[in-house]
């Protein structure tokens, strides 16, 4: 008889916006679809996932989507799985943790952390953290951009699907007709914008000029289902993205992108932003790197977008090549769900 599928529980509590749920959902789906795990995704805000996946019922306590059981968070949950993933340090319910501690075979417990390009991530990835009061050990698992991190989430066929879309005029024309009722004029610069409130979108619009096709989901087109949003990133010449998940998906798109980082207290986010730019810019000429950096800084500050765009516009072709190469290089490194499954299976021994 075949072994029963390993049971995984992924817990996610929304801090704000969509990113926490977006990442947890992608991980859960990959574990179920590509690694044969039996996955339950516990969400305190099913409505947030329902925004990304409109076929879900935001009021349901338990439903199945693409092989993942989506369960509404319960403080009295005690039916423990073999592998427990808390995303972004969200802490599973106390009763659940006590049940983990009481069980003879302790579940393997992972805290999936936020993405950062900073160097310290390599040193903290996979570190154990013994529980101070219970016989349990939690391990930190860090996504990242280098082989000594957990890597990034990527469906096995993502780049193949992207390439098929980007090389098909018909697929793209169909995409634009479905989205806006018409295809952008030939040669029009296609730009998507997903930004935090208060971003300098009007300054960007003015800088791009009237011939550009500027797409702002939630404003001039509807907020898209998550998989369609990927296609928007593939279809555009330049993508303004934010947070964590759209930032990663823009990289997989292989097109130039501008990252609006989630602002943190005391400007801590600038360190994270610079760390990423330093890695990405290694594949650019000095002048391209300077122009890209100026645009990212202007966008994040909400100031000087016009001049920064003027400095960047003529460099799009070389930045595009570098963006393609960057995606290709990342795809040669470990994929996060795979690395996590591998790591947790080693914890058994
Ligand atoms: C614009 C758009 C986005 N999306 C998806 C893409 C992503 O999966 C998701 C947005 O998530 P993010 O890009 O991560 O941005 P975000 O800003 O929404 O999310 C976060 O960032 C984290 C770093 C923070 O810790 C979180 O608290 C949160 O702020 O929404 C759609 O599905 N349709 C759309 O039309």
């Amino acid at each position: 008889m075949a072994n029963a599928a390993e049971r995984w529980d992924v817990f996610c509590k929304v801090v704000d916006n969509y990113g926490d749920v977006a990442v947890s959902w992608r991980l859960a789906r990959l574990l179920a679809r590509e690694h044969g795990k039996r996955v339950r995704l516990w969400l305190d805000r099913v409505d947030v996932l329902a925004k990304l996946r409109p076929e879900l019922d935001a009021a349901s306590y338990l439903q199945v989507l693409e092989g993942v059981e989506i369960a509404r968070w319960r403080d009295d949950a005690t039916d423990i799985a073999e592998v427990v993933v808390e995303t972004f340090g969200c802490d599973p319910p106390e009763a659940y943790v006590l049940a983990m501690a009481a069980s003879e075979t302790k579940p393997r417990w992972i805290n999936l952390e936020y993405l950062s390009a900073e160097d310290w991530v390599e040193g903290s990835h996979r570190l154990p953290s013994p529980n101070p009061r219970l016989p349990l050990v939690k391990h930190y698992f860090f996504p990242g951009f280098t082989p000594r991190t957990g890597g990034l989430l990527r469906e096995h066929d993502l780049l193949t699907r992207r390439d098929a879309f980007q090389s098909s005029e018909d697929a793209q024309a169909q995409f634009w007709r479905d989205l806006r009722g018409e295809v952008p004029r030939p040669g029009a610069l296609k730009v998507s914008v997903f930004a935090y409130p208060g971003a300098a979108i009007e300054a960007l619009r003015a800088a791009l000029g009237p011939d550009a096709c500027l797409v702002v989901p939630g404003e001039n087109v509807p907020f898209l289902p998550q998989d369609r949003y990927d296609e928007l990133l593939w279809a555009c010449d330049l993508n303004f993205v934010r947070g964590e998940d759209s930032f990663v998906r823009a990289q997989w798109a292989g097109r130039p992108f501008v990252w609006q980082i989630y602002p943190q207290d005391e400007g801590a986010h600038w360190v994270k932003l610079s760390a990423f730019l330093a890695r990405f810019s290694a594949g650019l000429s000095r002048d391209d790197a300077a122009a890209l950096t100026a645009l990212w800084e202007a966008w994040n500050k909400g100031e000087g977008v016009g001049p920064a765009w003027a400095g960047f516009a003529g460099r799009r072709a070389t930045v595009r090549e570098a963006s393609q190469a960057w995606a290709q290089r990342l795809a040669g490194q470990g994929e996060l769900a795979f690395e996590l499954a591998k790591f947790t299976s080693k914890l058994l021994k």
Side-chain angles (χ1 to χ4, degrees):
M1 212 177 78
N3 286 340
E6 189 174 67
R7 289 182 51 205
W8 286 55
D9 272 339
V10 178
F11 287 92
C12 173
K13 259 191 180 162
V14 172
V15 178
D16 58 7
N17 302 320
Y18 309 106
D20 316 87
V21 165
V23 170
S24 308
W25 159 249
R26 280 197 200 286
L27 171 67
R29 179 171 71 172
L30 269 165
L31 289 167
R33 266 209 321 217
E34 300 192 14
H35 300 283
K37 310 298 183 193
R38 189 170 151 203
V39 187
R40 207 163 34 167
L41 173 60
W42 292 91
L43 299 175
D44 69 335
R45 295 274 310 275
V46 179
D47 61 309
V48 176
L49 187 55
K51 187 98 196 277
L52 307 181
R53 297 298 305 243
E55 62 271 65
L56 284 177
D57 174 1
S60 167
Y61 279 85
L62 189 66
Q63 55 200 315
V64 178
L65 181 65
E66 296 197 56
V68 176
E69 271 185 59
I70 294 160
R72 178 176 296 217
W73 188 286
R74 289 175 56 140
D75 284 336
D76 61 353
T78 52
D79 170 22
I80 59 173
E82 293 162 83
V83 183
V84 177
V85 180
E86 62 172 87
T87 55
F88 314 122
C90 72
D91 282 333
E94 177 70 3
Y96 189 97
V97 173
L98 291 176
M100 284 164 72
S103 95
E104 202 173 310
T105 322
K106 305 279 182 276
R108 288 152 278 155
W109 184 3
I110 301 293
N111 177 10
L112 175 67
E113 276 292 349
Y114 286 110
L115 172 63
S116 173
E118 291 162 284
D119 288 338
W120 61 264
V121 166
E122 291 187 344
S124 302
H125 178 50
R126 299 195 291 213
L127 282 188
S129 161
N131 191 291
R133 58 188 174 99
L134 297 167
L136 289 170
V137 177
K138 172 156 84 178
H139 286 84
Y140 290 99
F141 203 86
F142 280 84
F145 301 95
T146 64
R148 289 205 191 147
T149 67
L152 300 172
L153 292 168
R154 171 173 46 86
E155 297 75 27
H156 77 280
D157 59 350
L158 179 68
L159 298 200
T160 318
R161 287 189 290 112
R162 178 202 70 183
D163 290 346
F165 182 90
Q166 289 181 338
S167 57
S168 164
E169 293 295 327
D170 287 351
Q172 290 173 67
Q174 189 60 48
F175 171 83
W176 287 112
R177 274 194 295 271
D178 290 348
L179 186 70
R180 308 168 73 234
E182 59 178 9
V183 177
R185 246 177 305 148
L189 185 71
K190 301 180 283 297
V191 180
S192 83
V193 178
F194 178 40
Y196 291 115
I201 297 184
E202 288 320 310
L204 178 67
R205 197 188 301 278
L208 295 175
D211 292 338
C213 168
L214 187 66
V215 180
V216 188
E219 290 188 16
N220 63 2
V221 297
F223 191 87
L224 300 169
Q226 199 188 40
D227 295 332
R228 296 261 306 151
Y229 177 65
D230 267 346
E231 294 180 344
L232 176 66
L233 297 174
W234 301 344
C236 285
D237 302 302
L238 175 66
N239 295 300
F240 288 74
V241 290
R242 73 181 209 192
E244 178 160 328
D245 190 58
S246 58
F247 167 54
V248 171
R249 303 309 277 192
Q251 293 172 59
W252 292 135
R255 295 278 161 89
F257 62 96
V258 178
W259 180 32
Q260 187 181 25
I261 190 167
Y262 186 76
Q264 284 174 284
D265 292 341
E266 291 163 21
H269 54 289
W270 288 107
V271 177
K272 264 178 102 169
L273 189 87
S274 305
F276 179 80
L277 265 176
R279 290 192 192 281
F280 186 80
S281 298
L284 295 174
S285 71
R286 251 180 52 192
D287 290 349
D288 283 355
L292 186 74
T293 302
L295 181 59
W296 282 38
E297 287 182 358
W299 185 246
N300 277 277
K301 286 182 184 148
E303 283 167 26
V305 169
W309 173 255
F312 174 79
R315 303 184 176 277
R316 279 187 289 114
T318 44
V319 175
R320 181 164 167 145
E321 276 169 30
S323 306
Q324 275 161 355
W326 173 257
Q328 214 49 49
R329 215 195 78 202
L330 289 179
Q333 293 178 15
E335 189 282 318
L336 195 144
F338 176 86
E339 293 297 325
L340 185 57
K342 191 169 80 182
F343 177 62
T344 55
S345 74
K346 281 198 191 136
L347 290 178
L348 266 181
K349 290 165 196 152

